[in-house]
Amino acid sequence: MIPPLPKEELAELVTANHILSRLGVVDAFGHVSLRDPRHAHHFWMSRRVAPGLVGPEDVLPFDGDSNPLVADPPPVYAERFIHGEIYRRSPAVMSVVHSHAPPIIPFGAVPSVPLRPVFHMAGFLITNVPVFEIRDHAGTASDMLVRDRKLGAALADTLGDMPVVLMRGHGATIVGCSVRQAVFRAVYTISNATLQSEALRLGPPNYLTPEEARNAGAGNDKHIDRAWALWACGDNESLVAKPSSHKKLPRSAKQ
Ligand SMILES: [Zn+2]
């Protein structure tokens, strides 16, 4: 049994679930996890429940093989291997988001049109987003889900060192070096997909160059907390770790 997740990290993960649900990155399906900051081979994720309904009591630890680390575990997400295998392959990844959001689906389904950064807020995409083809690993009769370590490892290999991997006919998986960065990237991956589809209807888009994208992404990374403060607004006050600028001013300072 590993020690409980520190209260602040637990609050961050619960809030991430609620933000992703409110902003349409996930619905009844999809999930977000956090690598244990003290035990790099373990990660934390909710039991099998819609992310918008996740509370602190739903979050449980998993080992490096994506097995729940509690006695008599509740039902857990079938696709937890996405998380475990990405953490195994990529030591810098601290958080993983898995989404089935509709705007990203066309870019996994149409091989001739890769998802690319069409606006600065998605600069982190840098260039063409890789696409995971489950048929290459599970044949033509799978149910499309990443249900075991083998498929999770194949997905992690396709992701490589990129921030996002599309999954043909299924969705996308997005990673970050913090929960906040993974959530930020997930939100703007969906926005970019929506905008790119709009642009493609007008004509051939003029995409960001890799250099423009890299610079924009680096700049945006400095302001992730600003977005988080807005998106977390309205979440349970006792759960949300707000930046210092959002703390109530002492009475004397209000005058
Ligand atoms: Zn899925």
Side-chain angles (χ1 to χ4, degrees), residues 64-145:
D65 294 334
S66 304
N67 301 309
L69 277 170
V70 294
D72 195 18
V76 291
Y77 296 124
E79 295 195 284
R80 58 195 179 279
F81 304 98
I82 292 173
H83 303 255
E85 294 308 311
I86 288 176
Y87 290 130
R88 186 196 307 278
R89 187 195 181 282
S90 303
V93 171
M94 291 301 290
S95 181
V96 177
V97 173
H98 175 58
S99 165
H100 303 160
I104 53 183
I105 302 299
F107 295 96
V110 182
S112 60
V113 185
L115 185 67
R116 294 175 61 181
V118 76
F119 83 138
H120 69 300
M121 296 306 291
F124 58 87
L125 295 176
I126 308 293
T127 183
N128 295 3
V129 175
V131 180
F132 175 65
E133 176 49 82
I134 196 167
R135 282 181 202 147
D136 292 344
H137 311 279
T140 56
S142 78
D143 69 355
M144 307 299 290
L145 301 187

Side-chain angles (χ1 to χ4, degrees), residues 81 85 89 146 148-158:
F81 304 98
E85 294 308 311
R89 187 195 181 282
V146 177
D148 58 31
R149 279 186 51 193
K150 178 189 151 213
L151 289 174
L155 176 69
D157 283 343
T158 306

